[in-house]
Amino acid sequence: MALHIPAKEAGPIAIIFPLFGIPFVIVGLYMIFGRFIFDSKNRSNTYYGVTDQRIIIKSGLFKKSVKSLNLRTLTDISLNEKSGGNGSIAFGQENPMASWFGGTSFPGRGYNVPKFEMISNAKDVYNKIREIQKRVN
């Protein structure tokens, strides 16, 4: 509607209203489409590793980060397996607010615990981690 205001009738308002609406359009487009594109790109740059002492998660699209978790001190590990063997393994107690966002979070909000997300053979990986934990403790 702001774009359809005749410039002659509205004066400077005809310029200000469309500029004011641009941030709302950008946020709306991100919430509809952008978050899926961002998530896909972020997942394609995420790598998971398990050693005999540590869990390693290397991720980041714009800012690279490496998360290293000691298997000896790691207490909460949970498996969320889907049909077909795919699933996620969470390392730590999840924030109750995370369920409000479907297990995801708005970028930078940090509701999530470190986890291996959408991996194949999740139960095998989970069992392997538990087996290694028993050996190191």
Side-chain angles (χ1 to χ4, degrees), residues 67-83:
K67 186 81 166 171
S68 179
L69 306 168
N70 189 338
L71 281 171
R72 186 179 302 251
T73 59
L74 196 59
T75 56
D76 293 332
I77 300 177
S78 58
L79 171 66
N80 183 0
E81 188 178 19
K82 309 263 189 234
S83 60

Side-chain angles (χ1 to χ4, degrees), residues 76-101:
D76 293 332
I77 300 177
S78 58
L79 171 66
N80 183 0
E81 188 178 19
K82 309 263 189 234
S83 60
N86 295 339
S88 298
I89 303 171
F91 304 103
Q93 187 67 36
E94 290 211 68
N95 187 323
M97 296 291 286
S99 64
W100 290 13
F101 296 99

Side-chain angles (χ1 to χ4, degrees), residues 93-95 98-99 101 103-105 109-115 117:
Q93 187 67 36
E94 290 211 68
N95 187 323
S99 64
F101 296 99
T104 64
S105 69
R109 295 301 303 161
Y111 289 126
N112 293 334
V113 297
K115 61 173 87 170
E117 295 183 277

Side-chain angles (χ1 to χ4, degrees), residues 15-28:
I15 296 171
I16 295 172
F17 269 21
L19 290 177
F20 182 74
I22 288 173
F24 292 100
V25 170
I26 291 171
V27 169

Side-chain angles (χ1 to χ4, degrees), residues 29-46 59-63 104-109:
L29 288 174
Y30 172 80
M31 293 178 89
I32 294 170
F33 303 110
R35 63 189 173 124
F36 298 111
I37 296 167
F38 177 81
D39 188 52
S40 173
K41 294 290 184 190
N42 195 31
R43 286 183 200 280
S44 70
N45 287 323
T46 300
S59 65
L61 189 56
F62 302 112
K63 180 182 171 186
T104 64
S105 69
F106 202 79
R109 295 301 303 161

